[in-house]
């Protein structure tokens, strides 16, 4: 039976794409029995437990050495965390006390002690610390495994293109199973902060986590794990498969140029490109900083704002935004005020893309706008915040927004609330009107962000969320090239910085066009970060400039695209 192509959304844990066959993993629950020991059996039972601890320690040490050799210190610290649990008196000694004091078997004692600790983890409010529950879970499994002296599962039965799919996969299992056969990972639970995610990144296995709909995927299903878009495609069509396979070949050509977190984004001929990260959820900040991202170029705040299904109160917004800024450790964070309306069509068929969205919504719902602005200003003391206004189409909109911002500041001053009065205010250029008049807006703002996702849809009259016109959505269209060149030319004399944060910056060929046109600041999703850094490091800015001169004279998107691909991939 052939199945229909289906897209499952999740969260990117490790970038890259993988095509392969699903292999479901089942994390066996150890059935432990509660045995009552005779007093003369206690000493032997404690020895049994200690030897399981020792066996686990030896396994982990071995794993740590290998991991350090393979991928440096980032992931070997994961094993430190496991080793520390094994030395933790609260853990090991309490288990021994239970065996000795209550005459119970090791499995039962481990379960009781770990249950208490799991509950303590669950009560923690810090998500990062809560995620560390996984370390304990992993070590408990290892101890139970070693108590039963079962051999580790073998990867030899896996197909050569296995994508592990499961509710969760413990990080050490992922490491122990590592082999050329495992090309991807997709789990129903988990977050990019989990150690499984960190392990997947270290092993360079594309991974998507937090995708509950994976529960329906069966072993043997053909899958694409797209660690750029954060989706798993189940039973992809031939066309989809061909697209991904093509990308894979191109990606390999760029791979030769290494781009680690610490390597700078500099072209071959020395042009420094500022490369920031786009995030949709606050939890992504930590990962962005770990990737070496120098800024959060775009934080789409609407996803967190409406995450609970209702509007958050001001105090929790202040706490969330403060945490984001602290986690960014001084790196600038561009908070885009809520852009609602996107991808939503109302019941009467009105296209929200052409209606009340972004700043228009905020101007009509000033209580919501003011609450968000107050929260942003109140959090601003904790780091380097920037405020970005979306979907602006006129200088009037911008003036109205400024009046409200001013009012919020006055209110905070009157209440003696501390805030940074110099938070830069920026505007998204994502409507044709903003592209045509950005120079008129320049004196009113501190910076610009170029949103090519919307700009292209409005310029080419192609609804970005409508599958039936997706083939017409083309960043290489001469109209787009001319528009971008015009924006660059209008803004250059103003000296106002401009960052391109649409998806055009996230695909190497179209990003190369941006560099060729003169843009030197890009912001991309984490999934695309290292790919774009690699592209930057493998091109010459002078070559791209001369390529830009040539493509600006071309008439058809296809010609443009061919020329760009040939330049970037040097074919
Ligand atoms: C854009 O329009 O290019 C952009 C970055 O914003 P969003 O994708 O959130 O509309
Ligand atoms: Mg937009």
């Amino acid at each position: 039976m052939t199945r229909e192509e289906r897209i499952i959304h999740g969260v990117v844990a490790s970038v890259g794409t993988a095509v392969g066959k699903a292999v479901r993993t089942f994390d066996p629950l150890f059935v432990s029995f509660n045995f009552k020991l005779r007093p003369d059996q206690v000493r032997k039972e404690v020895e049994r437990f200690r030897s399981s601890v020792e066996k686990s320690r030896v396994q982990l040490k071995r794993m740590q050495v290998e991991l350090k050799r393979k991928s440096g210190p980032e992931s070997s610290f994961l094993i430190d965390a496991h080793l520390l649990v094994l030395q933790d008196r609260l853990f090991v000694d309490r288990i021994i006390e239970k065996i000795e004091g209550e005459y119970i078997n090791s499995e039962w004692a481990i379960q009781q002690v770990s249950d208490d600790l799991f509950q303590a983890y669950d009560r923690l409010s810090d998500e990062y610390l809560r995620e560390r529950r996984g370390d304990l879970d992993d070590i408990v499994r290892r101890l139970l495994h070693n108590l039963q002296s079962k051999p580790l599962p073998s990867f030899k039965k896996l197909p050569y293109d296995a994508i592990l799919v499961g509710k969760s996969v413990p990080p050490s299992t992922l490491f122990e199973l590592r082999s050329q056969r495992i090309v991807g990972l997709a789990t129903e639970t988990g977050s990019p902060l989990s150690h499984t995610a960190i392990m997947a990144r270290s092993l360079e296995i594309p991974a998507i986590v937090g995708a509950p709909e994976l529960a329906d995927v069966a072993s043997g299903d053909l899958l694409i794990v797209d660690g750029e878009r954060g989706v798993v495609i189940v039973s992809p069509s031939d066309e989809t498969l061909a697209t991904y396979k093509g990308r894979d070949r191109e990606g390999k050509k760029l791979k030769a140029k290494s781009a680690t977190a610490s390597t700078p984004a500099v072209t071959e001929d020395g042009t420094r490109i500022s490369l920031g990260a786009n995030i949709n959820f606050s939890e992504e900040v930590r990962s962005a900083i770990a990737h070496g991202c120098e800024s959060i170029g775009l934080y789409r705040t609407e996803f967190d704002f409406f995450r609970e299904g209702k509007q958050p109160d001001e105090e929790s917004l202040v706490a969330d935004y403060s945490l984001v800024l602290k986690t960014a450790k001084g790196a600038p964070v561009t908070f885009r005020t809520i852009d609602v309306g996107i991808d939503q069509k109302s019941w009467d068929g009105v296209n929200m893309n052409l209606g009340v969205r972004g700043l228009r919504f905020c101007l009509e719902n000033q209580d919501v706008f003011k609450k968000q602005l107050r929260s942003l200003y109140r959090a601003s003391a904790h780091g380097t915040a920037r405020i970005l206004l979306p979907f602006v189409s006129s200088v009037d909109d911008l003036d109205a927004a400024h009046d409200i911002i001013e009012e919020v500041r006055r209110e905070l001053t009157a209440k003696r609330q501390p805030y940074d009065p110099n938070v830069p205010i920026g505007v998204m250029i994502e409507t044709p009107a903003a592209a045509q008049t950005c120079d008129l807006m320049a004196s009113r703002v501190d910076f610009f962000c170029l949103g090519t996702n919307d700009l292209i849809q409005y310029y080419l009259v192609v609804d970005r969320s409508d599958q039936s016109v997706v083939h017409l959505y083309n960043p290489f269209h001469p109209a787009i090239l001319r528009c971008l060149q015009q924006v660059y030319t209008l803004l250059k004399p103003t000296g106002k910085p401009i960052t391109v944060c649409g998806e055009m910056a996230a695909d190497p060929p179209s990003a190369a066009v941006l560099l060729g046109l003169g843009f030197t600041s890009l912001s991309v999703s984490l999934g695309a970060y290292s790919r774009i850094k690699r592209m930057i490091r493998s091109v010459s800015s002078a070559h791209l400039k001369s390529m830009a001169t040539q493509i600006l004279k071309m008439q058809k998107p296809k010609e443009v695209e061919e020329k760009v691909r040939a330049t970037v991939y040097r074919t």
Side-chain angles (χ1 to χ4, degrees):
M1 185 184 77
T2 48
R3 293 175 68 176
E4 283 260 302
E5 174 170 312
R6 196 157 65 90
I7 294 184
I8 294 178
H9 290 265
V11 183
V12 177
S14 176
V15 300
T17 51
V19 180
K21 294 262 172 54
V23 175
R24 285 213 73 99
T25 65
F26 174 53
D27 223 0
L29 284 174
F30 283 86
V31 177
S32 314
F33 297 106
N34 180 5
F35 295 127
K36 206 74 187 156
L37 304 174
R38 290 193 314 266
D40 62 315
Q41 290 175 318
V42 168
R43 203 170 52 87
K44 222 161 167 219
E45 188 62 19
V46 171
E47 262 168 37
R48 191 167 85 91
F49 172 65
R50 282 197 197 281
S51 68
S52 162
V53 171
E54 184 51 21
K55 199 166 172 187
S56 303
R57 204 185 58 79
V58 171
Q59 287 166 349
L60 289 166
K61 278 274 177 203
R62 202 178 312 130
M63 206 189 279
Q64 192 175 42
V65 171
E66 268 185 71
L67 205 47
K68 230 179 221 157
R69 203 176 47 223
K70 175 155 177 42
S71 47
E74 198 217 5
S75 42
S76 68
F77 88 87
L78 303 182
I79 308 298
D80 280 338
H82 290 198
L83 285 165
L84 280 173
V85 176
L86 286 183
Q87 286 165 17
D88 189 345
R89 303 184 73 91
L90 271 178
F91 184 66
V92 176
D93 289 4
R94 269 174 61 192
I95 293 170
I96 294 175
E97 275 164 27
K98 280 220 174 263
I99 300 171
E100 289 177 340
E102 297 176 24
Y103 296 170
I104 52 174
N105 53 325
S106 306
E107 286 87 347
W108 202 250
I110 290 173
Q111 158 136 3
Q112 291 205 338
V113 171
S114 55
D115 268 358
D116 287 349
L117 293 172
F118 282 138
Q119 282 176 21
Y121 270 109
D122 290 342
R123 284 194 297 272
L124 291 172
S125 57
D126 182 311
E127 207 211 336
Y128 180 76
L129 290 177
R130 231 178 18 236
E131 277 291 346
R132 303 288 74 84
R133 180 192 204 284
D135 293 327
L136 183 63
D137 191 41
D138 204 344
I139 199 76
V140 164
R141 280 166 201 284
R142 182 172 297 282
L143 285 169
L144 292 172
H145 204 99
N146 286 331
L147 276 169
Q148 306 199 352
S149 301
K150 284 202 176 140
L152 287 166
S154 161
F155 61 80
K156 300 225 167 71
K157 292 201 179 111
L158 292 174
Y160 273 94
D161 55 355
I163 293 180
L164 298 185
V165 180
K167 210 172 188 59
S168 65
V169 175
S172 65
T173 305
L174 187 58
F175 183 78
E176 280 161 342
L177 280 180
R178 78 202 177 284
S179 80
Q180 297 298 338
R181 296 175 193 235
I182 297 177
V183 297
L185 171 76
T187 61
E188 292 164 35
T189 59
S191 87
L193 299 178
S194 67
H195 279 168
T196 303
I198 298 175
M199 185 64 81
R201 289 198 282 278
S202 297
L203 299 175
E204 296 184 7
I205 297 174
I208 299 296
V209 296
E213 287 174 52
L214 286 169
D216 294 342
V217 170
S219 277
D221 282 353
L222 186 59
L223 300 184
I224 297 174
V225 171
D226 182 339
E228 321 297 334
R229 282 168 65 207
V231 296
V232 177
I233 306 175
V234 187
S235 311
S237 66
D238 291 345
E239 212 180 335
T240 309
L241 262 180
T243 311
Y244 275 88
K245 288 193 169 152
R247 260 196 239 164
D248 195 37
R249 276 192 297 278
E250 290 176 345
K252 282 188 182 127
K253 284 185 192 153
L254 288 176
K255 220 167 185 159
K257 302 269 169 186
S258 75
T260 63
S262 55
T263 44
V266 179
T267 62
E268 272 182 350
D269 53 349
T271 304
R272 179 84 172 86
I273 306 297
S274 156
L275 191 55
N278 292 352
I279 62 164
N280 297 337
F281 294 101
S282 58
E283 290 87 344
E284 291 174 86
V285 181
R286 189 179 296 275
S287 185
I289 299 302
H291 260 74
C293 301
E294 41 203 282
S295 63
I296 305 297
L298 173 67
Y299 170 19
R300 295 178 168 101
T301 61
E302 58 272 13
F303 293 100
D304 279 330
F305 200 91
F306 295 106
R307 182 148 32 168
E308 308 275 310
K310 60 178 171 33
Q311 266 197 51
D313 62 56
E314 186 170 325
E315 295 312 312
S316 61
L317 277 181
V318 175
D320 289 351
Y321 295 158
S322 303
L323 184 62
V324 164
L325 287 168
K326 283 184 204 155
T327 312
K329 299 192 178 122
V333 180
T334 302
F335 292 85
R336 186 178 71 184
T337 56
I338 50 172
D339 182 3
V340 275
I342 191 165
D343 291 344
Q344 288 169 15
K345 299 222 164 74
S346 74
W347 61 273
D348 59 358
V350 172
N351 185 344
M352 288 303 288
N353 280 326
L354 303 175
V356 180
R357 69 169 266 208
L359 185 61
R360 288 181 188 167
F361 172 88
C362 285
L363 294 178
E364 284 191 9
N365 296 275
Q366 293 195 14
D367 50 337
V368 182
F369 192 34
K370 282 184 190 161
K371 177 167 39 173
Q372 188 177 30
L373 289 169
R374 267 196 311 273
S375 309
L376 285 170
Y377 273 108
R378 285 178 58 195
S380 62
H382 297 286
T384 313
R386 310 202 306 168
I387 293 176
L388 176 65
L389 305 169
F391 203 67
V392 175
S393 51
S394 72
V395 165
D396 288 323
D397 288 352
L398 202 47
D399 284 346
H402 268 301
D403 287 345
I404 297 172
I405 291 172
E406 206 35 61
E407 196 184 319
V408 164
R409 286 205 206 129
R410 274 200 305 272
E411 221 180 277
L412 292 175
T413 310
K415 285 191 186 152
R416 296 177 192 278
Q417 295 262 22
Y419 70 95
D420 174 2
N422 298 316
V423 173
I425 308 288
V427 74
M428 289 282 290
I429 301 176
E430 54 183 347
T431 63
Q436 291 289 328
T437 58
C438 51
D439 55 327
L440 308 181
M441 296 181 180
S443 63
R444 291 165 165 88
V445 294
D446 302 298
F447 68 96
F448 288 93
C449 285
L450 186 59
T452 52
N453 303 343
D454 278 316
L455 196 57
I456 295 173
Q457 86 162 339
Y458 298 124
Y459 247 74
L460 301 184
V461 200
V462 175
D463 186 337
R464 64 194 263 197
S465 49
D466 183 348
Q467 278 298 319
S468 65
V469 284
V470 75
H471 57 289
L472 300 173
Y473 188 98
N474 195 329
F476 301 108
H477 194 297
I480 301 302
L481 303 186
R482 288 176 179 210
C483 167
L484 296 174
Q485 189 200 26
Q486 179 184 334
V487 168
Y488 183 81
T489 316
L490 286 175
L491 288 184
K492 181 106 179 108
T494 71
K496 295 285 156 88
I498 175 159
T499 298
V500 187
C501 61
E503 287 303 303
M504 198 174 163
D507 194 34
S510 51
V513 170
L514 295 166
L515 303 186
L517 290 170
F519 294 97
T520 52
S521 174
L522 310 178
S523 186
V524 301
S525 62
L526 280 180
Y529 198 85
S530 44
R531 176 178 69 191
I532 293 300
K533 198 191 264 187
R534 279 201 295 271
M535 182 280 286
I536 292 169
R537 291 174 58 78
S538 69
V539 292
S540 132
S541 140
H543 276 152
L544 294 185
K545 290 216 162 99
S546 91
M547 172 193 83
T549 314
Q550 292 173 52
I551 58 176
L552 277 164
K553 293 185 196 131
M554 292 178 175
Q555 299 186 0
K556 295 189 177 183
K558 198 159 174 32
E559 283 173 79
V560 173
E561 184 170 354
E562 276 167 10
K563 172 73 191 163
V564 174
R565 287 190 183 277
T567 310
V568 175
Y569 299 116
R570 300 182 188 177
T571 49

